[in-house]
Amino acid sequence: MSNQALIVLVKGNISEILHRRRFFAVLAISFLISLYKLSNIATYTRLYKTTFNIYDLLLSNMSNFHEVMFALNFLFLFLIGNMFLHGNDNLRIIRCNSKDEWFIMNFLSIFTLALIFVACIIIINVLIGCLNLDFQNLWSDGSKTISKELNKMPKEIISYMSPLTAVLISSLFLIFNFTILGTVFYIGIICFRKVYMGFITSSFIIIMSIAAKYMNLIKYTKYLLADNILLFNHNFRRANTLPTIPYSFIYLASIIVITYILGLFLFKRQDFDVGGNNNDY
């Protein structure tokens, strides 16, 4: 299959998802989450007589443990919930020259959807905050004074990078995170031929990070998703137990490669009853 044909299949996959009602439901919930965070900023503005900017709103959504682990992760899983299951999957596989190409198509669809989801989060926050918050690429007075209360931001980050850089790094971390979760979701479906098993498999990774956080298993959090995808959980000369930004990029990229290879290996071992049905999914 040519690259152009592969792109056409990926675009078809993505287009189908973006036209489903669940995509608009995800956008609506994301909007409500951002609105809630904006109300928090407004409250802190009144209480502490300080100011915030658009980057505070973005980072409070994109690098906050509760928003990412409890909300955004599960919203993404909900979004891709029936991405791989079509009544004519067998016929669509025939359009590919090999199982490799079919798996690659779905993997690229996961990555593209992760990119779109993060872009939507950014756009929603910008639209919500554009009328009330400043866009100047400087750390706000609020970030410098009460960052711990608002979004758990370490003050040390201020001397490391600009808020725009922080948003860009957080965006990349989230894209990697959603790609990993989506690929694990797909692996669960490949192994068990059930959608809910894909959800359980990917949810297990999220729950491990949440459990380690609340059980204060500091020695292990460096090797789980949460500390590696949340910018504020990184080592800015605070604690050696926290990961560095380069470490997290290498860690996340390695996990993506491992899950990709594992998923491709498992998928190639599956049999497809062309002309039958996929009810066992």
Side-chain angles (χ1 to χ4, degrees):
M1 179 187 294
S2 66
N3 291 336
Q4 185 175 0
L6 184 62
I7 292 173
V8 170
L9 283 177
V10 172
K11 289 174 64 176
N13 233 5
I14 296 299
S15 177
E16 188 171 344
I17 292 173
L18 299 185
H19 285 86
R20 290 175 181 163
R21 284 178 293 182
R22 68 172 57 200
F23 173 67
F24 297 100
V26 167
L27 291 183
I29 296 173
S30 299
F31 178 85
L32 293 176
I33 293 172
S34 298
L35 206 59
Y36 169 74
K37 299 303 292 187
L38 182 62
S39 69
N40 284 349
I41 288 178
T43 300
Y44 282 116
T45 299
R46 291 192 302 269
L47 289 177
Y48 294 92
K49 308 299 181 183
T50 187
T51 58
F52 296 92
N53 60 29
I54 194 68
Y55 301 102
D56 294 305
L57 178 61
L58 285 165
L59 291 172
S60 66
N61 278 278
M62 301 172 67
S63 194
N64 182 285
F65 180 84
H66 295 94
E67 272 70 19
V68 174
M69 301 307 295
F70 289 100
L72 298 184
N73 278 344
F74 287 104
L75 281 177
F76 185 75
L77 295 183
F78 173 72
L79 181 61
I80 66 171
N82 57 358
M83 173 179 173
F84 312 103
L85 306 178
H86 307 279
N88 60 343
D89 256 358
N90 291 323
L91 297 179
R92 295 173 71 176
I93 290 175
I94 293 175
R95 294 178 60 186
C96 299
N97 294 329
S98 66
K99 288 183 177 180
D100 293 33
E101 291 182 349
W102 176 255
F103 182 85
I104 292 171
M105 184 271 292
N106 277 322
F107 176 79
L108 290 177
S109 297
I110 293 170
F111 174 77
T112 305
L113 197 60
L115 186 65
I116 292 173
F117 185 46
V118 172
C120 287
I121 293 171
I122 294 173
I123 292 171
I124 288 172
N125 280 277
V126 169
L127 290 176
I128 288 177
C130 65
L131 297 179
N132 302 306
L133 300 175
D134 182 28
F135 280 77
Q136 191 173 9
N137 187 22
L138 296 172
W139 293 106
S140 67
D141 292 337
S143 295
K144 298 174 183 177
T145 55
I146 61 166
S147 57
K148 286 289 185 180
E149 288 80 0
L150 177 64
N151 52 23
K152 311 303 180 185
M153 186 187 85
K155 292 183 179 180
E156 294 84 356
I157 195 176
I158 294 175
S159 61
Y160 266 76
M161 63 185 67
S162 69
L164 178 59
T165 301
V167 169
L168 292 176
I169 292 175
S170 294
S171 300
L172 290 175
F173 281 159
L174 286 183
I175 292 170
F176 284 5
N177 169 59
F178 296 140
T179 301
I180 291 170
L181 292 178
T183 307
V184 172
F185 191 106
Y186 192 18
I187 290 174
I189 293 177
I190 291 171
C191 291
F192 301 102
R193 293 178 176 261
K194 298 290 183 181
V195 177
Y196 69 84
M197 289 305 299
F199 180 80
I200 291 174
T201 305
S202 50
S203 296
F204 178 72
I205 298 177
I206 301 172
I207 293 171
M208 284 177 59
S209 291
I210 294 173
K213 169 74 171 180
Y214 283 103
M215 295 173 67
N216 202 28
L217 301 177
I218 299 175
K219 292 183 179 180
Y220 304 102
T221 55
K222 186 176 181 179
Y223 307 104
L224 299 175
L225 271 185
D227 275 4
N228 286 284
I229 64 174
L230 301 175
L231 180 62
F232 295 160
N233 283 17
H234 282 73
N235 183 6
F236 297 102
R237 295 179 181 174
R238 292 183 296 158
N240 292 330
T241 55
L242 296 174
T244 63
I245 291 175
Y247 169 88
S248 290
F249 274 119
I250 295 172
Y251 169 87
L252 294 171
S254 299
I255 297 299
I256 289 175
V257 171
I258 291 171
T259 53
Y260 173 85
I261 294 174
L262 177 62
L264 181 59
F265 171 76
L266 294 172
F267 186 75
K268 290 172 70 173
R269 293 172 61 89
Q270 295 294 313
D271 294 323
F272 293 90
D273 181 19
V274 177
N277 60 60
N278 288 331
N279 290 335
D280 54 345
Y281 281 87

